[in-house]
Amino acid sequence: MDYCQFLETLLGEGRASVPALGPIPVRQKAAAVETLARYERLWRRECPSPIPDYHPDAANWAAEQFCLACQFAIFRDVDEQTMRAALTTSLESDDGPDVHYSVDLVFRFLPDLVKFVHAASSDDPLESILRGWALRWPLSSVGLPGIEVAEIDHGVFYQSSGLMSLYVDRIVTCADRSRLIDDVVREHVLAAVGMYPDLAPHLALNEYLTENGEMA
């Protein structure tokens, strides 16, 4: 199992087969660029239009970070200082819709990784790091419980109707009522559900509607 095989399994099957802990060879990094681009083209077909442009550097950064986090989740002899040094590297890019969309290509599996880490230990420093990612990349953390949603900056979703639609779809699918704290996001969720809030019963949207079925 190597890095490219890790991505193929993750993006193709939704599961992680983790390579041995160690630096990713340059040749594998180069091959991963095309692997990510290929799966992005497939993923884009499933997304609402107009979806933001693909940002390869952001996707590659997210893929390498996620792979490393999976390795730390499996190989437990790494100390907290080493993990934090490796997993808190910043992405040198503007914080626009294209970046959030591209990071999400891999980070959409973040809730599953957090749950896996939490199941192993309820007081794991790796989980703390991953939850920091969850706040930083809100599109990718929908459905993850225990998130301080009030700390999330939803401004990036205001900039792209496609990204907002993707976010709303995920909120409705995951019944993540916590994300309704943002007024603009809540209005888009209500508009998506329309006159039939019972289609999303776990979101309890009726409290936001008037007797005429309009948004309160």
Side-chain angles (χ1 to χ4, degrees):
M1 175 61 62
D2 62 22
Y3 176 54
C4 289
Q5 291 172 320
F6 164 80
L7 291 178
E8 287 281 357
T9 305
L10 181 68
L11 298 174
E13 303 176 25
R15 61 183 182 87
S17 295
V18 183
L21 186 60
I24 302 172
V26 173
R27 184 172 62 180
Q28 290 183 27
K29 286 188 177 185
V33 172
E34 176 51 37
T35 299
L36 289 165
R38 172 162 46 86
Y39 276 102
E40 188 277 329
R41 291 191 292 270
L42 295 173
W43 176 242
R44 176 173 291 271
R45 299 174 187 173
E46 307 296 324
C47 296
S49 296
I51 207 67
D53 292 335
Y54 179 53
H55 193 302
D57 289 345
N60 280 284
W61 172 86
E64 291 182 19
Q65 287 280 284
F66 194 83
C67 180
L68 189 54
C70 288
Q71 290 173 320
F72 288 151
I74 298 298
F75 303 104
R76 304 303 300 167
D77 56 346
V78 181
D79 63 85
E80 180 178 354
Q81 183 177 0
T82 299
M83 283 194 298
R84 290 193 177 278
L87 296 176
T88 56
T89 58
S90 60
L91 174 59
E92 296 181 2
S93 177
D94 295 334
D95 191 17
D98 58 335
V99 170
H100 280 258
Y101 163 73
S102 302
V103 166
D104 182 67
L105 179 64
V106 172
F107 269 29
R108 57 196 161 102
F109 299 104
L110 179 59
D112 293 329
L113 180 56
V114 173
K115 292 172 186 175
F116 176 84
V117 172
H118 182 79
S121 173
S122 60
D123 187 24
D124 193 319
L126 178 58
E127 182 178 353
S128 173
I129 296 170
L130 297 179
R131 287 188 174 277
W133 286 359
L135 290 176
R136 177 68 179 81
W137 308 104
L139 175 61
S140 304
S141 61
V142 175
L144 182 62
I147 298 298
E148 295 294 336
V149 181
E151 298 180 16
I152 290 177
D153 181 3
H154 284 92
V156 68
F157 299 106
Y158 308 165
Q159 302 172 36
S160 168
S161 59
L163 195 68
M164 176 65 85
S165 295
L166 184 58
Y167 190 48
V168 167
D169 287 350
R170 206 165 285 181
I171 290 171
V172 174
T173 299
C174 296
D176 192 343
R177 181 176 166 79
S178 70
R179 304 300 171 112
L180 302 181
I181 192 173
D182 183 87
D183 293 340
V184 176
V185 171
R186 184 171 68 247
E187 289 177 3
H188 278 82
V189 170
L190 289 166
V193 175
M195 299 290 288
Y196 305 98
D198 292 339
L199 294 177
H202 296 297
L203 286 174
L205 296 173
N206 283 308
E207 68 179 83
Y208 296 113
L209 302 176
T210 66
E211 292 182 358
N212 297 322
E214 299 174 346
M215 287 185 288

